[in-house]
Amino acid sequence: MIPAIRIQQVAKRYGSLQALGGVDLEVAQGEFFGLLGPNGAGKTTLISSLAGLVRPDSGTLEVMGHDVQSDYRNARRNLGVVPQEIVFDPFFSVRETLKFQSGYFGIRDNDDWIDEILANLDLTNKAHANMRTLSGGMKRRVMVAQALVHRPPVIVLDEPTAGVDVELRQTLWQFVRRLNQDGHTIVLTTHYLEEAESLCSRIAMLKAGRVVALDSTENLLSSHANHALRFRLAEGDVLPLVFEGRATRSEEGWVLPFEDYSEVGALVDTLRNAGCTLQDLEIGKPDLEEVFLDVMKGQAS
Amino acid sequence: MSGGFVTLFYKELLRFWKVAFQTVAAPVLTAMLYLLIFSHVLEARVQVYGSLRYTAFLVPGLVMMSILQNAFSNSSSSLIQSKVTGNIIFVLLPPISYREFYAAYVLAAMVRGVIVGAGVLLVTAFFTPLQFAHPLWIFAFALIAGGVMGSLGVVAGIWADKFDQLAAFQNFLIMPLTFLSGVFYSIHSLPSFWQGVSHFNPVFYMIDGFRYGFFGVSDVAPWQSFAVAFVSLLVLAALTLNFLRRGYKLRG
Ligand SMILES: Nc1ncnc2c1ncn2[C@@H]1O[C@H](COP(=O)(O)OP(=O)(O)OP(=O)(O)O)[C@@H](O)[C@H]1O
Ligand SMILES: [Mg+2]
């Protein structure tokens, strides 16, 4: 099957800054894919290259097998992008905005689908409101709607939940999940790593314009992160010598990794026997945040 | 041409029509003020082309000036606003070709120019009787002028990063070109040096040919004016299309 997205050796420079340094990436149809990386890693530049908003210095990008330069019409018909920055046209209402966006893709009489998108994004009662009068989170939802008017098989969301409240974030994810179940390929960037962990089946991590990790979420978690005991010690207690080197200090206290749950009892006993008073004891599952920090640290330039 | 072009064109029309008070009524009023003041001061003193009254002479000039300035204003301000606010992205993401993009912006600019021009003509008709010696020339020059300035507006809107850069473009290029082109006078009344200079200004030919359409008299032959105006349009269209094809300042 043709991959939903194929990115080969894409490089982009801004002056002396290498925003993308030869990125290779393939996303299969139907995947829920996460693109993660710290600020300035090149996520938006990569997405913009895919959307034809940025012309890379070298490399090729395809959407559903269509080259984004030479076959841009088909590439763009197959792609829906929710840009990172909130932008809108203050001249028009929500419905007008969506009708125009449909028209740009050559679609007339799109009202049924527009109604459905509006309902799913909880915007129905704002349909006739001018864009200017919407709150930031509502404007972002309109941008999501704009990316969907032409029912693109591939949907890229660049930090869609920045500035969106908890409830609506849930609504949005529910909707995006359903789109994914219906067969749409989803690519997502976010700085909320729990979101990425629960939604994405595969993840690429980008740093300074290069892919530094690319694997299924499961593999990333199991290869980089451990279960860990998190705890704080009472004032004056010292960590037993045996754990030195193994435990790391975090903001909340100590993090003591272990492989298997059967070890927990012994670890706690060792601590108690050394006279430590444990506070806020927690058994942590491996999480993506750890993986992320670990990967980024490993790639320190 | 695809549906994308039609929608973009329609959106550009709606954009100025929704604020027609500023984009149509205001420039008509401005032109009327010019007419009142200049004809009051000069009517008795100036005669052009033999017997033509100055007010009558002035009207086509003002109409053409309105077409030129409003066509420029439409495409340039739409583009710079979209760029500064960032919503230009919504017309860059869809499958709209650079030619469709060009056509939509320039045609909308022409429409605005012609509507304002017609408005000026309508209002000034109350002040002076008008002739329409060669209506086809009137249409031809109106459309070409709108196309030239619509194109120039696209160039300026793409080139400028900020509103003040666009204002500079307007003040240092568009205004001198239109004002020094014979809107308010026949260039035969100028010293010969300035007559010569005027012949390098393509806008002069647009106004002169346009005026020929009304009175059947002009400083240069209408076909010559048409040739100059048409070549100007072709050159600007080629330049603008080249900008757009390369994605200059629009696709980084
Ligand atoms: N138009 C531009 N001109 C100059 N530099 C740019 C431009 N666009 C991006 N950059 C630089 O390229 C690098 C990558 O930026 P990009 O926006 O792709 O990062 P990102 O991964 O999306 O970051 P964030 O998480 O903050 O959104 C940054 O160093 C940025 O400053
Ligand atoms: Mg970004």
Side-chain angles (χ1 to χ4, degrees), chain A residues 9-53:
Chain A
Q9 283 301 308
V10 167
K12 176 74 185 176
R13 260 180 182 291
Y14 289 111
S16 63
L17 182 113
Q18 187 85 47
L20 294 174
V23 173
D24 284 299
L25 209 58
E26 225 172 85
V27 178
Q29 288 183 38
E31 267 197 276
F32 205 129
F33 190 88
L35 187 60
L36 307 182
N39 292 137
K43 305 179 294 295
T44 300
T45 307
L46 190 62
I47 292 170
S48 302
S49 306
L50 194 67
L53 299 170

mmCIF file of all heavy atoms in Angstrom, chain A residues 9-53:
data_model
loop_
_atom_site.group_PDB
_atom_site.id
_atom_site.type_symbol
_atom_site.label_atom_id
_atom_site.label_comp_id
_atom_site.label_asym_id
_atom_site.label_seq_id
_atom_site.Cartn_x
_atom_site.Cartn_y
_atom_site.Cartn_z
ATOM 1 N N GLN A 9 14.911 12.444 2.785
ATOM 2 C CA GLN A 9 16.100 13.306 2.779
ATOM 3 C C GLN A 9 15.772 14.792 2.693
ATOM 4 O O GLN A 9 16.380 15.531 1.923
ATOM 5 C CB GLN A 9 17.012 12.909 1.603
ATOM 6 C CG GLN A 9 17.811 11.646 1.877
ATOM 7 C CD GLN A 9 18.696 11.811 3.104
ATOM 8 O OE1 GLN A 9 19.458 12.782 3.204
ATOM 9 N NE2 GLN A 9 18.570 10.901 4.060
ATOM 10 N N VAL A 10 14.784 15.204 3.476
ATOM 11 C CA VAL A 10 14.378 16.605 3.387
ATOM 12 C C VAL A 10 15.266 17.489 4.262
ATOM 13 O O VAL A 10 15.427 17.246 5.458
ATOM 14 C CB VAL A 10 12.892 16.771 3.772
ATOM 15 C CG1 VAL A 10 12.552 18.239 3.992
ATOM 16 C CG2 VAL A 10 12.018 16.184 2.675
ATOM 17 N N ALA A 11 15.860 18.491 3.621
ATOM 18 C CA ALA A 11 16.725 19.432 4.332
ATOM 19 C C ALA A 11 16.258 20.846 4.059
ATOM 20 O O ALA A 11 15.781 21.161 2.971
ATOM 21 C CB ALA A 11 18.179 19.254 3.884
ATOM 22 N N LYS A 12 16.346 21.675 5.085
ATOM 23 C CA LYS A 12 15.973 23.088 4.923
ATOM 24 C C LYS A 12 16.859 23.952 5.824
ATOM 25 O O LYS A 12 17.015 23.673 7.000
ATOM 26 C CB LYS A 12 14.499 23.279 5.312
ATOM 27 C CG LYS A 12 14.026 24.714 5.280
ATOM 28 C CD LYS A 12 13.852 25.216 3.871
ATOM 29 C CE LYS A 12 13.499 26.706 3.839
ATOM 30 N NZ LYS A 12 13.429 27.221 2.473
ATOM 31 N N ARG A 13 17.416 24.966 5.221
ATOM 32 C CA ARG A 13 18.261 25.908 5.945
ATOM 33 C C ARG A 13 17.592 27.267 6.009
ATOM 34 O O ARG A 13 16.985 27.706 5.045
ATOM 35 C CB ARG A 13 19.542 26.140 5.144
ATOM 36 C CG ARG A 13 20.703 25.388 5.615
ATOM 37 C CD ARG A 13 21.956 25.644 4.788
ATOM 38 N NE ARG A 13 22.989 24.815 5.341
ATOM 39 C CZ ARG A 13 23.537 25.025 6.536
ATOM 40 N NH1 ARG A 13 23.213 26.087 7.231
ATOM 41 N NH2 ARG A 13 24.422 24.189 7.037
ATOM 42 N N TYR A 14 17.716 27.933 7.146
ATOM 43 C CA TYR A 14 17.371 29.354 7.215
ATOM 44 C C TYR A 14 18.670 30.085 7.543
ATOM 45 O O TYR A 14 19.102 30.052 8.684
ATOM 46 C CB TYR A 14 16.335 29.626 8.301
ATOM 47 C CG TYR A 14 14.959 29.105 7.967
ATOM 48 C CD1 TYR A 14 14.401 28.042 8.666
ATOM 49 C CD2 TYR A 14 14.208 29.691 6.953
ATOM 50 C CE1 TYR A 14 13.129 27.580 8.362
ATOM 51 C CE2 TYR A 14 12.933 29.230 6.641
ATOM 52 C CZ TYR A 14 12.407 28.178 7.357
ATOM 53 O OH TYR A 14 11.156 27.718 7.054
ATOM 54 N N GLY A 15 19.299 30.672 6.555
ATOM 55 C CA GLY A 15 20.593 31.303 6.781
ATOM 56 C C GLY A 15 21.580 30.251 7.253
ATOM 57 O O GLY A 15 21.788 29.236 6.586
ATOM 58 N N SER A 16 22.139 30.468 8.442
ATOM 59 C CA SER A 16 23.131 29.510 8.929
ATOM 60 C C SER A 16 22.474 28.413 9.763
ATOM 61 O O SER A 16 23.138 27.503 10.240
ATOM 62 C CB SER A 16 24.180 30.242 9.765
ATOM 63 O OG SER A 16 23.552 30.806 10.893
ATOM 64 N N LEU A 17 21.155 28.537 9.941
ATOM 65 C CA LEU A 17 20.476 27.566 10.799
ATOM 66 C C LEU A 17 19.936 26.395 9.991
ATOM 67 O O LEU A 17 19.197 26.565 9.030
ATOM 68 C CB LEU A 17 19.317 28.264 11.524
ATOM 69 C CG LEU A 17 18.561 27.373 12.498
ATOM 70 C CD1 LEU A 17 18.780 27.851 13.911
ATOM 71 C CD2 LEU A 17 17.090 27.317 12.162
ATOM 72 N N GLN A 18 20.325 25.190 10.395
ATOM 73 C CA GLN A 18 19.823 23.996 9.719
ATOM 74 C C GLN A 18 18.520 23.587 10.396
ATOM 75 O O GLN A 18 18.529 22.917 11.412
ATOM 76 C CB GLN A 18 20.871 22.876 9.828
ATOM 77 C CG GLN A 18 20.535 21.651 9.013
ATOM 78 C CD GLN A 18 20.989 21.771 7.561
ATOM 79 O OE1 GLN A 18 22.114 22.167 7.298
ATOM 80 N NE2 GLN A 18 20.113 21.444 6.623
ATOM 81 N N ALA A 19 17.396 24.020 9.828
ATOM 82 C CA ALA A 19 16.108 23.724 10.460
ATOM 83 C C ALA A 19 15.751 22.251 10.288
ATOM 84 O O ALA A 19 15.192 21.627 11.187
ATOM 85 C CB ALA A 19 15.015 24.608 9.880
ATOM 86 N N LEU A 20 16.054 21.683 9.123
ATOM 87 C CA LEU A 20 15.860 20.252 8.886
ATOM 88 C C LEU A 20 17.138 19.704 8.262
ATOM 89 O O LEU A 20 17.634 20.250 7.281
ATOM 90 C CB LEU A 20 14.672 20.014 7.938
ATOM 91 C CG LEU A 20 13.282 20.393 8.446
ATOM 92 C CD1 LEU A 20 12.256 20.233 7.330
ATOM 93 C CD2 LEU A 20 12.891 19.559 9.658
ATOM 94 N N GLY A 21 17.644 18.658 8.828
ATOM 95 C CA GLY A 21 18.938 18.152 8.375
ATOM 96 C C GLY A 21 18.842 16.776 7.755
ATOM 97 O O GLY A 21 19.474 15.830 8.206
ATOM 98 N N GLY A 22 18.024 16.629 6.727
ATOM 99 C CA GLY A 22 17.926 15.325 6.077
ATOM 100 C C GLY A 22 16.975 14.394 6.809
ATOM 101 O O GLY A 22 17.402 13.418 7.429
ATOM 102 N N VAL A 23 15.706 14.688 6.724
ATOM 103 C CA VAL A 23 14.709 13.887 7.446
ATOM 104 C C VAL A 23 14.132 12.805 6.530
ATOM 105 O O VAL A 23 13.742 13.074 5.399
ATOM 106 C CB VAL A 23 13.565 14.789 7.969
ATOM 107 C CG1 VAL A 23 12.444 13.940 8.563
ATOM 108 C CG2 VAL A 23 14.100 15.765 9.004
ATOM 109 N N ASP A 24 14.114 11.594 7.015
ATOM 110 C CA ASP A 24 13.449 10.475 6.340
ATOM 111 C C ASP A 24 12.334 9.990 7.242
ATOM 112 O O ASP A 24 12.564 9.758 8.425
ATOM 113 C CB ASP A 24 14.426 9.308 6.139
ATOM 114 C CG ASP A 24 15.395 9.573 5.009
ATOM 115 O OD1 ASP A 24 14.933 9.752 3.874
ATOM 116 O OD2 ASP A 24 16.608 9.626 5.285
ATOM 117 N N LEU A 25 11.147 9.842 6.674
ATOM 118 C CA LEU A 25 10.033 9.428 7.514
ATOM 119 C C LEU A 25 8.946 8.852 6.637
ATOM 120 O O LEU A 25 8.695 9.366 5.545
ATOM 121 C CB LEU A 25 9.489 10.664 8.245
ATOM 122 C CG LEU A 25 8.825 10.488 9.597
ATOM 123 C CD1 LEU A 25 9.769 9.827 10.579
ATOM 124 C CD2 LEU A 25 8.417 11.857 10.137
ATOM 125 N N GLU A 26 8.337 7.790 7.106
ATOM 126 C CA GLU A 26 7.221 7.236 6.365
ATOM 127 C C GLU A 26 6.086 6.964 7.337
ATOM 128 O O GLU A 26 6.298 6.404 8.398
ATOM 129 C CB GLU A 26 7.650 5.938 5.661
ATOM 130 C CG GLU A 26 7.161 5.881 4.230
ATOM 131 C CD GLU A 26 7.751 4.698 3.483
ATOM 132 O OE1 GLU A 26 7.191 3.597 3.591
ATOM 133 O OE2 GLU A 26 8.772 4.913 2.805
ATOM 134 N N VAL A 27 4.899 7.395 6.975
ATOM 135 C CA VAL A 27 3.730 7.141 7.813
ATOM 136 C C VAL A 27 2.756 6.322 6.982
ATOM 137 O O VAL A 27 2.396 6.721 5.870
ATOM 138 C CB VAL A 27 3.075 8.463 8.263
ATOM 139 C CG1 VAL A 27 1.826 8.179 9.102
ATOM 140 C CG2 VAL A 27 4.062 9.313 9.056
ATOM 141 N N ALA A 28 2.362 5.166 7.529
ATOM 142 C CA ALA A 28 1.460 4.296 6.775
ATOM 143 C C ALA A 28 0.030 4.808 6.862
ATOM 144 O O ALA A 28 -0.322 5.549 7.771
ATOM 145 C CB ALA A 28 1.537 2.875 7.329
ATOM 146 N N GLN A 29 -0.792 4.404 5.892
ATOM 147 C CA GLN A 29 -2.200 4.785 5.920
ATOM 148 C C GLN A 29 -2.863 4.223 7.161
ATOM 149 O O GLN A 29 -2.625 3.086 7.541
ATOM 150 C CB GLN A 29 -2.908 4.263 4.668
ATOM 151 C CG GLN A 29 -2.513 5.022 3.425
ATOM 152 C CD GLN A 29 -3.283 4.549 2.207
ATOM 153 O OE1 GLN A 29 -4.471 4.241 2.301
ATOM 154 N NE2 GLN A 29 -2.606 4.489 1.078
ATOM 155 N N GLY A 30 -3.680 5.053 7.776
ATOM 156 C CA GLY A 30 -4.422 4.601 8.939
ATOM 157 C C GLY A 30 -3.682 4.736 10.259
ATOM 158 O O GLY A 30 -4.241 4.473 11.322
ATOM 159 N N GLU A 31 -2.437 5.167 10.209
ATOM 160 C CA GLU A 31 -1.681 5.309 11.446
ATOM 161 C C GLU A 31 -2.117 6.529 12.239
ATOM 162 O O GLU A 31 -2.641 7.501 11.685
ATOM 163 C CB GLU A 31 -0.184 5.469 11.126
ATOM 164 C CG GLU A 31 0.590 4.172 11.132
ATOM 165 C CD GLU A 31 2.092 4.423 11.218
ATOM 166 O OE1 GLU A 31 2.722 4.670 10.172
ATOM 167 O OE2 GLU A 31 2.626 4.370 12.335
ATOM 168 N N PHE A 32 -1.870 6.484 13.538
ATOM 169 C CA PHE A 32 -1.982 7.661 14.393
ATOM 170 C C PHE A 32 -0.558 7.943 14.837
ATOM 171 O O PHE A 32 -0.006 7.228 15.663
ATOM 172 C CB PHE A 32 -2.899 7.375 15.590
ATOM 173 C CG PHE A 32 -3.530 8.603 16.159
ATOM 174 C CD1 PHE A 32 -4.900 8.676 16.363
ATOM 175 C CD2 PHE A 32 -2.754 9.706 16.507
ATOM 176 C CE1 PHE A 32 -5.494 9.821 16.892
ATOM 177 C CE2 PHE A 32 -3.333 10.853 17.040
ATOM 178 C CZ PHE A 32 -4.708 10.898 17.219
ATOM 179 N N PHE A 33 0.027 8.939 14.229
ATOM 180 C CA PHE A 33 1.469 9.125 14.332
ATOM 181 C C PHE A 33 1.790 10.385 15.118
ATOM 182 O O PHE A 33 1.167 11.427 14.913
ATOM 183 C CB PHE A 33 2.044 9.235 12.918
ATOM 184 C CG PHE A 33 3.543 9.187 12.851
ATOM 185 C CD1 PHE A 33 4.210 7.976 12.757
ATOM 186 C CD2 PHE A 33 4.285 10.361 12.887
ATOM 187 C CE1 PHE A 33 5.594 7.927 12.696
ATOM 188 C CE2 PHE A 33 5.671 10.321 12.823
ATOM 189 C CZ PHE A 33 6.323 9.095 12.725
ATOM 190 N N GLY A 34 2.759 10.289 15.997
ATOM 191 C CA GLY A 34 3.161 11.449 16.791
ATOM 192 C C GLY A 34 4.496 11.996 16.330
ATOM 193 O O GLY A 34 5.428 11.245 16.077
ATOM 194 N N LEU A 35 4.554 13.322 16.199
ATOM 195 C CA LEU A 35 5.808 13.974 15.842
ATOM 196 C C LEU A 35 6.174 14.859 17.022
ATOM 197 O O LEU A 35 5.528 15.875 17.256
ATOM 198 C CB LEU A 35 5.591 14.802 14.563
ATOM 199 C CG LEU A 35 6.790 15.447 13.903
ATOM 200 C CD1 LEU A 35 7.814 14.401 13.490
ATOM 201 C CD2 LEU A 35 6.341 16.257 12.697
ATOM 202 N N LEU A 36 7.179 14.431 17.762
ATOM 203 C CA LEU A 36 7.515 15.151 18.985
ATOM 204 C C LEU A 36 8.901 15.771 18.881
ATOM 205 O O LEU A 36 9.716 15.373 18.062
ATOM 206 C CB LEU A 36 7.480 14.192 20.187
ATOM 207 C CG LEU A 36 6.189 13.383 20.377
ATOM 208 C CD1 LEU A 36 6.298 12.525 21.635
ATOM 209 C CD2 LEU A 36 4.981 14.302 20.454
ATOM 210 N N GLY A 37 9.130 16.735 19.726
ATOM 211 C CA GLY A 37 10.440 17.375 19.755
ATOM 212 C C GLY A 37 10.347 18.693 20.478
ATOM 213 O O GLY A 37 9.273 19.282 20.556
ATOM 214 N N PRO A 38 11.478 19.144 21.024
ATOM 215 C CA PRO A 38 11.456 20.412 21.767
ATOM 216 C C PRO A 38 11.195 21.605 20.839
ATOM 217 O O PRO A 38 11.191 21.445 19.615
ATOM 218 C CB PRO A 38 12.867 20.487 22.362
ATOM 219 C CG PRO A 38 13.704 19.595 21.520
ATOM 220 C CD PRO A 38 12.803 18.540 20.968
ATOM 221 N N ASN A 39 10.989 22.763 21.400
ATOM 222 C CA ASN A 39 10.801 23.975 20.614
ATOM 223 C C ASN A 39 11.956 24.147 19.642
ATOM 224 O O ASN A 39 13.112 23.987 20.013
ATOM 225 C CB ASN A 39 10.750 25.231 21.506
ATOM 226 C CG ASN A 39 9.491 25.266 22.375
ATOM 227 O OD1 ASN A 39 9.562 25.600 23.549
ATOM 228 N ND2 ASN A 39 8.361 24.919 21.803
ATOM 229 N N GLY A 40 11.618 24.446 18.406
ATOM 230 C CA GLY A 40 12.669 24.706 17.417
ATOM 231 C C GLY A 40 13.252 23.450 16.800
ATOM 232 O O GLY A 40 14.218 23.517 16.041
ATOM 233 N N ALA A 41 12.673 22.286 17.107
ATOM 234 C CA ALA A 41 13.224 21.035 16.582
ATOM 235 C C ALA A 41 13.019 20.908 15.073
ATOM 236 O O ALA A 41 13.741 20.184 14.394
ATOM 237 C CB ALA A 41 12.590 19.843 17.290
ATOM 238 N N GLY A 42 12.018 21.594 14.561
ATOM 239 C CA GLY A 42 11.765 21.524 13.114
ATOM 240 C C GLY A 42 10.434 20.875 12.757
ATOM 241 O O GLY A 42 10.166 20.627 11.583
ATOM 242 N N LYS A 43 9.597 20.643 13.754
ATOM 243 C CA LYS A 43 8.304 19.977 13.489
ATOM 244 C C LYS A 43 7.459 20.786 12.514
ATOM 245 O O LYS A 43 6.965 20.267 11.506
ATOM 246 C CB LYS A 43 7.536 19.772 14.808
ATOM 247 C CG LYS A 43 8.308 19.014 15.870
ATOM 248 C CD LYS A 43 7.514 18.873 17.155
ATOM 249 C CE LYS A 43 7.239 20.189 17.885
ATOM 250 N NZ LYS A 43 8.438 20.870 18.394
ATOM 251 N N THR A 44 7.291 22.066 12.832
ATOM 252 C CA THR A 44 6.449 22.906 11.983
ATOM 253 C C THR A 44 7.060 23.075 10.598
ATOM 254 O O THR A 44 6.347 23.070 9.586
ATOM 255 C CB THR A 44 6.211 24.274 12.657
ATOM 256 O OG1 THR A 44 5.563 24.045 13.905
ATOM 257 C CG2 THR A 44 5.360 25.181 11.796
ATOM 258 N N THR A 45 8.372 23.196 10.544
ATOM 259 C CA THR A 45 9.034 23.323 9.248
ATOM 260 C C THR A 45 8.780 22.081 8.399
ATOM 261 O O THR A 45 8.517 22.177 7.195
ATOM 262 C CB THR A 45 10.558 23.522 9.445
ATOM 263 O OG1 THR A 45 10.759 24.620 10.335
ATOM 264 C CG2 THR A 45 11.249 23.813 8.127
ATOM 265 N N LEU A 46 8.814 20.918 9.035
ATOM 266 C CA LEU A 46 8.568 19.676 8.306
ATOM 267 C C LEU A 46 7.118 19.614 7.805
ATOM 268 O O LEU A 46 6.861 19.280 6.638
ATOM 269 C CB LEU A 46 8.863 18.479 9.217
ATOM 270 C CG LEU A 46 8.894 17.109 8.532
ATOM 271 C CD1 LEU A 46 10.002 17.060 7.484
ATOM 272 C CD2 LEU A 46 9.094 15.995 9.560
ATOM 273 N N ILE A 47 6.195 19.990 8.679
ATOM 274 C CA ILE A 47 4.779 19.995 8.295
ATOM 275 C C ILE A 47 4.539 20.997 7.169
ATOM 276 O O ILE A 47 3.831 20.721 6.202
ATOM 277 C CB ILE A 47 3.901 20.311 9.521
ATOM 278 C CG1 ILE A 47 3.962 19.143 10.513
ATOM 279 C CG2 ILE A 47 2.459 20.588 9.103
ATOM 280 C CD1 ILE A 47 3.338 19.440 11.850
ATOM 281 N N SER A 48 5.157 22.171 7.290
ATOM 282 C CA SER A 48 4.999 23.201 6.258
ATOM 283 C C SER A 48 5.558 22.726 4.926
ATOM 284 O O SER A 48 5.017 23.055 3.866
ATOM 285 C CB SER A 48 5.688 24.492 6.679
ATOM 286 O OG SER A 48 5.168 24.945 7.899
ATOM 287 N N SER A 49 6.640 21.978 4.970
ATOM 288 C CA SER A 49 7.200 21.441 3.734
ATOM 289 C C SER A 49 6.213 20.461 3.098
ATOM 290 O O SER A 49 6.026 20.444 1.883
ATOM 291 C CB SER A 49 8.519 20.701 4.001
ATOM 292 O OG SER A 49 9.412 21.526 4.699
ATOM 293 N N LEU A 50 5.575 19.682 3.950
ATOM 294 C CA LEU A 50 4.605 18.708 3.455
ATOM 295 C C LEU A 50 3.407 19.414 2.821
ATOM 296 O O LEU A 50 2.834 18.956 1.838
ATOM 297 C CB LEU A 50 4.142 17.836 4.630
ATOM 298 C CG LEU A 50 3.386 16.559 4.291
ATOM 299 C CD1 LEU A 50 4.311 15.579 3.578
ATOM 300 C CD2 LEU A 50 2.828 15.927 5.569
ATOM 301 N N ALA A 51 3.054 20.564 3.396
ATOM 302 C CA ALA A 51 1.881 21.295 2.924
ATOM 303 C C ALA A 51 2.214 22.220 1.760
ATOM 304 O O ALA A 51 1.330 22.891 1.234
ATOM 305 C CB ALA A 51 1.289 22.097 4.070
ATOM 306 N N GLY A 52 3.485 22.301 1.386
ATOM 307 C CA GLY A 52 3.872 23.182 0.295
ATOM 308 C C GLY A 52 3.984 24.640 0.710
ATOM 309 O O GLY A 52 4.065 25.532 -0.130
ATOM 310 N N LEU A 53 3.987 24.903 2.013
ATOM 311 C CA LEU A 53 4.121 26.285 2.486
ATOM 312 C C LEU A 53 5.581 26.690 2.552
ATOM 313 O O LEU A 53 5.921 27.863 2.538
ATOM 314 C CB LEU A 53 3.504 26.428 3.881
ATOM 315 C CG LEU A 53 2.025 26.119 3.984
ATOM 316 C CD1 LEU A 53 1.595 26.058 5.442
ATOM 317 C CD2 LEU A 53 1.224 27.172 3.237
#
